[in-house]
Amino acid sequence: MKSREIRQTFIDYFKKHGHRQVSSSSLVPENDATLLFANAGMNQFKNVFLGLETRDYTRAVTSQKCVRAGVKHNDLENVGHTARHHTFFEMLGNFSFGDYFKKDAIHLAWDLLTKELGIPKEKLYVTVFQDDDEAADIWHKQEGVPKERIYRFGEKDNFWRMGDTGPCGPCSEIFYDHGPEADDPKNPSVMGGDGDRYVEIWNNVFMQFNEDASGRHPLPKPSVDTGGGLERWAAALQGKPNNYDTDMFQPIIQTAAKISKKEYNSDLKLLASNKELRESVAAMRVVADHSRATAFLIADGVMPSNEGRGYVLRRIMRRAIRYARTLSDSSDLFVQTIATVIGEMGGFYPELTRARELILTTVKDEITRFIATLDQGTEILNDELKKISGKGQKTIGGDVVFRLYDTFGFPVDLTRLMAEEKGFKIDEETFMKHMEEARQKAKASSRFKALSADAAHLVKVSQSVLDKNGPTNFVGYSTTKASGNVVALSNGFEMKTELKAGDQGLAVFDQTSFYGEGGGQSGDHGEVRSSNGTTLEVFDCTKQNDVYLHHVRVIDGTLKIGEACVLQVTDSRRRATAANHSATHLLHSALRKTLGTHVTQAGSLVDADRLRFDYTHNKPLTDDEITRIEQLVNEEISKQIDVNSAEMEHQAAIEAGALALFGEKYGDRVRVIKMGDFSTELCGGTHVTNTAMIRLFKVVSESGVSAGVRRIEAVTGDSAFQYMLRNTHENQRARSAAGYQESWTQYLNSEALGKNATVVDWIEHAKMTIKTLEREIKSLKGSKIDIDSMVKSAQAFSAGGASGKLVTAVLDMEDRQILSEISDKIKDKIQSGVVVLVGRGEGKHPIIVSVSKDLTKTLSAGKILGEVAQELKGKGGGRPDFAQGAGEDLSGLDKAFKKAATIVGA
């Protein structure tokens, strides 16, 4: 049975039994700062299990995209070397939210596996929690599983918790027996333990308790959360003990095998006896796995970077690139395996097909970026291995590991891997100290933390309101004024019954016209007046689980729970924010029409003053592209198109062509904003009713955020008009300052500028003139240097059988270009040798080291520079034939030159 058939059979089976099919959530979790990536099917239902959110269904079935390569769940090191470890995998799951429990969950699982899929019962084993007699009895009495095939394990294996407190319960796992042929004769498998013979294919978690400081308490509505890896199901149903031999990986592996012209063979005996085959097979498996993770992460908006999720992706990509290079010199191998992933999986996951161009371009860019430093970093690592090996040591210093990470982009696990391949290990503790020092210097902190006390209090407030009053009734789409009663008050730390004049805190009403921050749009500002005359300033509004939290300052009077109030949003601010938000939709569409459909939103910020839009693209916009985008948006504004909103089923909206926005959390019913045929997006924000209300759109900046992500900032309406007016005045002043009415006009018909020259042409011409003069000045400075006398004072040396001359000198200049040119002239004179030049500067003193090509096999300019710079309290680096850096203290100059002489053997 093909993997796609297994997936569909699973989904259809549970749909037949009353489950709602729910699409996989993004790999980037929505509204969950505690999670790096989606790593289980239940992630998107977390708030449902916690009781913070309700759905219009109590049974669900999903096939969830998952990545485990971060902090807690990290399978990266084992990938390619075991039969079933992966960074990316699909988790099949069925869920009950207070509906059915153990009896039905167990029956559905056993019925699907043994009847629908036809797996022989003798191939299956089950486990239960050691104290869960109920589950054991159900397996034996209801499903007929022999007692000897039911194993009991403790909390480590068969008890599940969401966290230190909260929902928890026993779990029951189903194992598949691949047979003795899957076993390692030297290390036989144990049912429920390590090994490749008995593999867990399904876990049924029975959430029946709530755990707090006082112990476990039964939940009023026990729930079920199940999960089974599709890759493991495919291995079982296709008769393949190794996941990599299934149809989920073989097309990718065969692509790698074809390009590398290497054999793929999974025969355990053959692999055990053939090291070269074993290494190439492991490399193909790593590349196949990492190709899947890379494609899906980029499709979900993650871009390679040096922090957070982007760094995890970069680690995965660079590990794959390095393994791909062990298979083939072709830099195209990893690109082609990625293309195979898109082709194989784009049918069920259309986001792969939509983002194909972005994925492949990002991969090519990362390959180019990494290979540029890979060889240099590898040389440094090999030199370090030789050095410590000569001392009889087997551990690479943490400072070297950090340097490889910080300077050459080597993820620590890649350095560890390369070291282990040669029998060495790394000093992890010292590396982590350097990392922590770097974090402190950058004042950086992890973005993935547990909820703070304040955030936890907001959850408490919202839950209290939900329990007593239900969600806030938001009427702000149609009006900026509403009546509402106070249902909760807080000072930001604890619930209150009243807030007095001068107090600052949170106010919750049963109904509001204030928009709560979300989907990139800032919260509304305004005023609240109570029936007893109390006045409140609302300086922000946020939303927690459909409860609107008004951040207020009491101006006068006392506000009490139960009081009737009138809520008034500041109209002018709402109008400006709505114009910016609608313009963001037009901008998104204009970008896709100008650059291609690979463009997707990667973040946004909309308030009354401006809009900021982050989007996926691999290079800066040209002036022509920006002009084209502005023209498209302003054309739609001038057409006076009605902006329509409608609610519909989520799947129907997507099928109708609506785009989903970054950071927005969608339910089964969604709000769709449509602007003619130009833009259709899912959005819960506030908008203008007609595009003419935006009035004017102007891009003010375009920049890079990270690899593969660009940012546009723009203004609309009055802000756009004032921006353009200010630019016009500045242009006029610039023309005047450039002598437009006097000397500037003489260039209009000149050969240098042409007939239709502008003030920009004049400025560019002036800059070129200045550069020419600067070059002439530099040339004059360089011509005063007595190169012949420097050559005469050269020291002869012999290096590795090759002879040459060493020239060292300190010069009264700090221009690196001139120093480099002087170095080249000296090298031409001596023909074979080393030149070390130090310039006297202000604060920093430039250092240039140059080695003639015939000596680079025995001498490295980078190494010589490093030693020289160290004596001058500086640093630097470069190629074997040329390196540059800077020192801070020239008092060590004599020692520095002597060290250079010692290195070359002069």
Side-chain angles (χ1 to χ4, degrees):
M1 182 180 276
K2 299 288 187 183
S3 57
R4 63 172 64 93
E5 296 171 332
I6 298 170
R7 185 198 296 119
Q8 197 59 51
T9 299
F10 182 90
I11 292 170
D12 290 344
Y13 177 84
F14 282 101
K15 285 173 68 177
K16 183 172 66 177
H17 287 84
H19 291 65
R20 173 79 62 83
Q21 181 181 352
V22 180
S23 298
S24 170
S25 67
S26 168
L27 285 169
V28 179
E30 295 175 336
N31 302 330
D32 190 346
T34 68
L35 199 58
L36 197 64
F37 297 114
N39 57 27
M42 61 77 59
N43 291 153
Q44 66 171 310
F45 304 117
K46 181 177 177 180
N47 284 342
V48 181
F49 286 124
L50 288 171
L52 301 176
E53 181 185 338
T54 57
R55 303 278 177 99
D56 62 353
Y57 51 84
T58 57
R59 299 182 176 198
V61 58
T62 67
S63 180
Q64 173 65 46
K65 300 176 293 188
C66 297
V67 164
R68 290 185 180 175
V71 183
K72 180 181 177 182
H73 295 104
N74 190 350
D75 290 343
L76 191 61
E77 297 297 329
N78 294 316
V79 169
H81 302 287
T82 70
R84 59 185 184 273
H85 278 99
H86 307 294
T87 52
F88 172 87
F89 61 96
E90 292 183 71
M91 182 77 85
L92 303 173
N94 59 289
F95 306 88
S96 164
F97 311 117
D99 190 324
Y100 61 82
F101 199 46
K102 291 182 185 179
K103 288 185 68 175
D104 288 332
I106 289 173
H107 173 71
L108 289 169
W110 196 248
D111 184 65
L112 172 59
L113 291 175
T114 60
K115 293 182 180 178
E116 200 81 12
L117 294 173
I119 297 177
K121 293 180 180 180
E122 59 269 19
K123 298 287 283 183
L124 301 174
Y125 292 81
V126 299
T127 68
V128 297
F129 179 53
Q130 59 191 12
D131 299 331
D132 195 355
D133 295 333
E134 180 187 7
D137 285 345
I138 293 171
W139 279 116
H140 178 58
K141 295 178 181 179
Q142 175 179 288
E143 304 304 329
V145 178
K147 288 187 176 180
E148 62 269 19
R149 300 181 81 86
I150 301 172
Y151 287 72
R152 291 176 182 255
F153 292 108
E155 290 206 6
K156 179 178 179 292
D157 296 301
N158 278 76
F159 197 90
W160 183 91
R161 290 178 175 82
M162 187 177 287
D164 293 334
T165 60
C168 61
C171 61
S172 179
E173 298 174 325
I174 302 173
F175 282 75
Y176 179 85
D177 180 3
H178 279 285
E181 61 273 14
D183 231 344
D184 181 355
K186 298 179 182 178
N187 188 22
S189 300
V190 177
M191 169 53 208
D194 294 330
D196 292 332
R197 176 175 175 175
Y198 305 100
V199 177
E200 177 215 326
I201 60 171
W202 207 343
N203 188 13
N204 286 261
V205 177
F206 307 124
M207 283 188 256
Q208 64 186 96
F209 303 110
N210 184 56
E211 193 165 47
D212 57 26
S214 63
R216 294 175 191 161
H217 312 283
L219 285 170
K221 290 185 176 181
S223 297
V224 175
D225 156 30
T226 84
L230 177 57
E231 292 77 7
R232 297 186 180 193
W233 285 45
L237 289 163
Q238 293 173 17
K240 306 289 185 181
N242 193 303
N243 292 1
Y244 289 99
D245 294 340
T246 68
D247 69 336
M248 300 193 77
F249 291 92
Q250 275 303 298
I252 315 168
I253 287 173
Q254 291 307 318
T255 297
K258 182 178 179 180
I259 295 172
S260 65
K261 296 180 173 60
K262 292 183 183 294
E263 176 191 5
Y264 177 83
N265 194 312
S266 58
D267 183 273
L268 295 177
K269 292 181 180 178
L270 190 60
L271 290 172
S273 62
N274 189 326
K275 181 182 178 184
E276 184 179 349
L277 176 64
R278 187 167 64 249
E279 289 177 348
S280 65
V281 166
M284 289 183 202
R285 290 172 175 174
V286 170
V287 171
D289 173 273
H290 290 8
S291 294
R292 288 169 20 121
T294 297
F296 276 94
L297 283 170
I298 296 173
D300 278 353
V302 181
M303 288 292 151
S305 67
N306 285 330
E307 60 182 8
R309 297 182 178 103
Y311 179 58
V312 176
L313 172 59
R314 174 158 282 168
R315 287 169 59 204
I316 292 171
M317 294 178 73
R318 294 195 167 185
R319 194 166 185 263
I321 294 166
R322 197 258 172 176
Y323 269 107
R325 288 197 84 194
T326 68
L327 291 170
S328 169
D329 291 333
S330 171
S331 61
D332 199 44
L333 189 149
F334 188 41
V335 178
Q336 291 305 314
T337 55
I338 294 275
T340 302
V341 171
I342 298 171
E344 290 290 318
M345 304 187 74
F348 191 78
Y349 295 105
E351 60 268 31
L352 290 175
T353 305
R354 289 196 296 266
R356 176 185 170 86
E357 185 180 341
L358 171 69
I359 294 168
L360 296 179
T361 303
T362 302
V363 170
K364 290 174 185 175
D365 287 349
E366 188 66 12
I367 290 172
T368 301
R369 185 177 287 110
F370 184 43
I371 287 180
T373 60
L374 179 60
D375 293 337
Q376 193 175 355
T378 302
E379 181 186 351
I380 290 172
L381 179 60
N382 289 337
D383 286 346
E384 182 66 18
L385 293 177
K386 289 177 185 176
K387 187 189 297 182
I388 64 175
S389 180
K391 297 178 182 178
Q393 299 172 357
K394 284 290 184 180
T395 303
I396 303 172
D399 55 338
V400 176
V401 179
F402 180 74
R403 183 185 172 202
L404 286 168
Y405 160 79
D406 192 44
T407 306
F408 300 100
F410 274 46
V412 62
D413 42 351
L414 179 58
T415 303
R416 184 190 303 113
L417 172 69
M418 294 170 71
E420 288 175 350
E421 287 177 347
K422 298 190 177 182
F424 293 81
K425 60 182 181 178
I426 64 173
D427 182 350
E428 307 252 4
E429 185 177 346
T430 304
F431 168 76
M432 292 308 298
K433 286 180 180 178
H434 283 290
M435 285 291 289
E436 184 58 31
E437 288 172 4
R439 289 192 190 101
Q440 292 300 324
K441 288 178 182 177
K443 296 182 179 179
S445 60
S446 173
R447 295 173 59 192
F448 306 101
K449 299 178 179 178
L451 288 174
S452 66
D454 290 351
H457 177 65
L458 296 183
V459 172
K460 181 180 179 181
V461 172
S462 66
Q463 189 58 48
S464 174
V465 173
L466 284 172
D467 291 343
K468 295 177 183 177
N469 305 91
T472 306
N473 181 31
F474 176 65
V475 296
Y477 290 136
S478 57
T479 182
T480 56
K481 188 175 183 179
S483 298
N485 297 317
V486 182
V487 295
L489 294 170
S490 165
N491 64 0
F493 303 98
E494 58 182 347
M495 304 287 284
K496 294 289 184 181
T497 57
E498 63 180 25
L499 291 177
K500 298 179 180 179
D503 286 351
Q504 193 167 297
L506 303 170
V508 182
F509 305 89
D510 58 357
Q511 180 169 276
T512 186
S513 55
F514 282 75
Y515 179 82
E517 179 183 345
Q521 180 177 326
S522 63
D524 278 329
H525 294 196
E527 185 179 80
V528 174
R529 288 185 180 272
S530 73
S531 55
N532 69 1
T534 300
T535 303
L536 292 81
E537 175 197 355
V538 181
F539 56 87
D540 198 6
C541 183
T542 57
K543 189 167 62 171
Q544 184 79 36
N545 300 319
D546 294 324
V547 173
Y548 287 67
L549 307 173
H550 301 73
H551 299 244
V552 301
R553 189 178 294 110
V554 182
I555 305 303
D556 56 56
T558 299
L559 183 70
K560 298 181 179 180
I561 290 179
E563 288 187 357
C565 298
V566 175
L567 298 83
Q568 177 64 61
V569 174
T570 303
D571 279 318
S572 59
R573 185 179 178 86
R574 165 69 77 81
R575 285 195 302 271
T577 303
N580 283 336
H581 203 151
S582 297
T584 300
H585 285 218
L586 294 177
L587 170 61
H588 191 183
S589 184
L591 281 164
R592 289 170 64 87
K593 292 179 188 301
T594 303
L595 305 176
T597 55
H598 68 278
V599 170
T600 56
Q601 180 175 331
S604 71
L605 173 65
V606 175
D607 60 23
D609 300 319
R610 60 174 178 143
L611 66 92
R612 188 182 76 201
F613 188 81
D614 295 347
Y615 61 99
T616 52
H617 192 55
N618 288 80
K619 55 186 176 182
L621 295 182
T622 65
D623 290 342
D624 287 344
E625 287 170 338
I626 292 174
T627 299
R628 171 65 176 156
I629 290 162
E630 289 177 331
Q631 287 174 339
L632 285 171
V633 174
N634 283 305
E635 185 177 331
E636 296 305 306
I637 292 171
S638 67
K639 287 180 181 177
Q640 303 179 44
I641 300 168
D642 286 337
V643 178
N644 298 311
S645 65
E647 280 199 4
M648 62 178 69
E649 292 291 329
H650 181 273
Q651 193 59 38
I654 296 298
E655 289 172 358
L659 291 175
L661 294 182
F662 178 87
E664 190 73 37
K665 188 172 183 180
Y666 302 111
D668 290 318
R669 290 194 61 79
V670 295
R671 185 165 178 260
V672 179
I673 301 297
K674 185 173 175 62
M675 302 181 193
D677 296 328
F678 193 79
S679 171
T680 305
E681 294 191 5
L682 308 186
C683 183
T686 61
H687 290 270
V688 298
T689 55
N690 188 286
T691 58
M693 298 170 69
I694 303 172
R695 295 170 57 201
L696 181 65
F697 171 85
K698 183 74 180 93
V699 173
V700 298
S701 72
E702 195 275 346
S703 59
V705 177
S706 60
V709 178
R710 308 293 301 175
R711 170 173 293 172
I712 281 179
E713 295 196 50
V715 287
T716 66
D718 286 340
S719 295
F721 175 74
Q722 292 298 326
Y723 176 83
M724 295 182 73
L725 192 64
R726 184 169 62 252
N727 279 0
T728 300
H729 291 161
E730 287 178 359
N731 181 269
Q732 289 172 339
R733 289 197 296 273
R735 289 159 70 91
S736 176
Y740 177 71
Q741 300 299 332
E742 301 164 12
S743 60
W744 188 75
T745 57
Q746 67 183 295
Y747 291 107
L748 283 177
N749 298 310
S750 72
E751 184 179 341
L753 291 180
K755 189 174 181 180
N756 299 311
T758 66
V759 68
V760 175
D761 296 322
W762 186 91
I763 292 171
E764 291 298 329
H765 183 265
K767 286 164 64 177
M768 288 176 61
T769 302
I770 292 169
K771 282 184 179 179
T772 300
L773 294 172
E774 287 176 342
R775 279 196 297 269
E776 291 175 358
I777 292 170
K778 288 179 180 180
S779 179
L780 288 171
K781 286 182 178 179
S783 65
K784 293 182 179 180
I785 302 298
D786 189 353
I787 292 174
D788 289 335
S789 64
M790 294 166 67
V791 172
K792 288 178 182 177
S793 62
Q795 299 171 264
F797 68 85
S798 179
S803 60
K805 294 180 179 180
L806 170 66
V807 175
T808 59
V810 58
L811 304 174
D812 290 325
M813 64 174 65
E814 57 182 335
D815 191 302
R816 292 180 181 275
Q817 185 177 341
I818 297 176
L819 287 171
S820 180
E821 290 172 357
I822 292 170
S823 175
D824 287 342
K825 290 177 181 178
I826 294 173
K827 207 162 54 172
D828 288 342
K829 291 267 188 182
I830 62 176
Q831 294 186 342
S832 177
V834 177
V835 180
V836 180
L837 300 180
V838 178
R840 295 184 189 275
E842 293 183 9
K844 297 282 187 179
H845 309 288
I847 309 168
I848 299 289
V849 177
S850 183
V851 177
S852 58
K853 293 287 186 182
D854 62 311
L855 297 179
T856 53
K857 289 185 178 180
T858 53
L859 295 172
S860 169
K863 292 178 185 176
I864 297 171
L865 185 132
E867 296 295 331
V868 169
Q870 189 176 7
E871 294 297 333
L872 303 180
K873 297 181 180 178
K875 58 183 179 179
R879 307 185 307 268
D881 64 320
F882 181 83
Q884 57 182 327
E888 296 182 2
D889 185 2
L890 293 184
S891 63
L893 200 57
D894 289 341
K895 286 185 179 179
F897 287 161
K898 286 179 182 177
K899 186 169 281 189
T902 301
I903 294 171
V904 303

